[in-house]
Amino acid sequence: MNFIDYYNILGVDKNATQKEIKVAFRKLARKYHPDLNPNDPNAKRNFQQINEANEVLSDPEKRQKYDQYGKDWQHAQQFENAKQYQEQSSDRQGARSSETQFEGDFSDFFESMFGGTASTGRSRQVRFRGEDFNAELRLSLMDASKTHKQTLTVNGKNLRITIPAGIENGQTIKIPGYGGQGLNGGPNGDLYITFSILDHPKFKRLENNLYSTVELDLYTAVLGGEMTIDTLDGKVKLKIIPETQNGSKIKLKGKGFPVYKNEGQFGDLFITFSIKIPNNLTDKQKELFTQLSKL
């Protein structure tokens, strides 16, 4: 019978803490659980190896004995004592749950070193929390600016959620209990939805503010006047002051993006003017520009 490296089976260091061992065991047990791998003929064997390693390393007394005598277990008198101890306490062990496949099929190494299955007296049925699910939901900028409902299909089930106005790009929300199903009565996992806000052709969003570049014809820029521009909630008229310069900016207070979960609060809209130079000028127009340039 060969020495079995339980640390290697769980993928942990020999100095691993009890918490690290527990986390490693639960992760591997969930991965190789026979109920989740019905088509894998090796799942049960892998699961039993993981369980055996956890039986030893999660018990401080057994771990100490394993660390001390592991490679020299055949020559340690303590192993025989452990077997006697197991025989005395076997009546307290009780029936093992078949649900988790902990049926006592331990290796010869384990049987000889520890005298059979564990005698901790604790229940053999382990409850596993279900796997967390992750999903991405894409929204237009206009959709993200309004509180609305959407129906998602998750693991074959329809889920209707309310999306608050002002949701951020990359923001993640948690829907408890809508992940994978738990095993042996364990709780379901959770669903994490990450939002991806698509670019808008006119507006650029930065936190709660919006930015837009608007073309302004040369004549209105020089002489002043009015123009109509788009905002997220409709069109507004702007008064253009005479001699507006290319690249100049104005702020429309409260015309930006709604603040997340703060109803009635909005950021600002910043407009940058881009002066449009006229083209296809007539001879008369060119003559007038020439006269202006000489003044």
Side-chain angles (χ1 to χ4, degrees), residues 111-122:
E111 295 284 347
S112 298
M113 186 172 188
F114 298 103
T117 55
S119 58
T120 60
R122 66 176 184 267

Side-chain angles (χ1 to χ4, degrees), residues 125-275:
Q125 185 167 338
V126 180
R127 299 167 63 190
F128 292 100
R129 182 179 181 275
E131 182 182 4
D132 290 334
F133 289 164
N134 293 278
E136 181 185 59
L137 182 58
R138 295 186 176 185
L139 298 176
S140 69
L141 191 68
M142 292 297 294
D143 285 339
S145 70
K146 301 174 182 177
T147 297
H148 66 286
K149 296 182 181 293
Q150 286 205 22
T151 300
L152 310 177
T153 301
V154 180
N155 202 24
K157 298 179 180 179
N158 289 333
L159 171 63
R160 190 166 177 81
I161 63 173
T162 299
I163 303 174
I167 197 83
E168 290 275 359
N169 182 51
Q171 184 173 342
T172 299
I173 63 173
K174 181 177 77 172
I175 311 296
Y178 278 84
Q181 185 175 1
L183 294 175
N184 302 326
N188 291 347
D190 300 324
L191 170 64
Y192 291 87
I193 302 176
T194 300
F195 292 89
S196 177
I197 312 300
L198 303 177
D199 291 336
H200 192 278
K202 289 186 177 181
F203 302 107
K204 179 180 179 181
R205 179 186 177 188
L206 184 59
E207 296 180 346
N208 298 317
N209 295 325
L210 294 175
Y211 298 82
S212 180
T213 298
V214 174
E215 282 192 345
L216 183 63
D217 68 84
L218 178 63
Y219 310 107
T220 304
V222 173
L223 301 175
E226 285 187 345
M227 69 177 304
T228 302
I229 66 165
D230 293 318
T231 69
L232 276 185
D233 60 354
K235 297 180 179 295
V236 298
K237 282 187 176 182
L238 289 182
K239 184 176 181 180
I240 309 300
I241 63 173
E243 301 179 7
T244 295
Q245 300 298 306
N246 184 57
S248 59
K249 297 178 175 62
I250 63 170
K251 180 177 76 172
L252 301 183
K253 188 172 179 60
K255 290 296 183 179
F257 214 69
V259 179
Y260 182 69
K261 290 190 174 180
N262 282 273
E263 188 174 354
Q265 296 186 26
F266 297 83
D268 302 322
L269 172 60
F270 292 86
I271 302 294
T272 299
F273 290 113
S274 175
I275 308 301

Side-chain angles (χ1 to χ4, degrees), residues 269-285:
L269 172 60
F270 292 86
I271 302 294
T272 299
F273 290 113
S274 175
I275 308 301
K276 184 178 180 181
I277 304 300
N279 51 21
N280 299 320
L281 297 175
T282 65
D283 291 340
K284 180 62 175 178
Q285 289 172 326

Side-chain angles (χ1 to χ4, degrees), residues 65-111:
K65 186 182 299 181
Y66 172 77
D67 289 342
Q68 186 173 359
Y69 299 111
K71 293 183 180 180
D72 301 316
W73 60 275
Q74 288 175 314
H75 308 290
Q77 181 63 36
Q78 286 83 349
F79 300 166
E80 184 62 28
N81 296 337
K83 181 180 294 186
Q84 294 176 2
Y85 176 78
Q86 164 63 22
E87 291 172 353
Q88 294 171 0
S89 58
S90 60
D91 293 339
R92 299 195 303 269
Q93 180 62 33
R96 293 174 174 81
S97 169
S98 61
E99 292 183 70
T100 55
Q101 306 297 320
F102 290 1
E103 299 167 342
D105 295 332
F106 293 91
S107 69
D108 292 340
F109 173 82
F110 185 97
E111 295 284 347

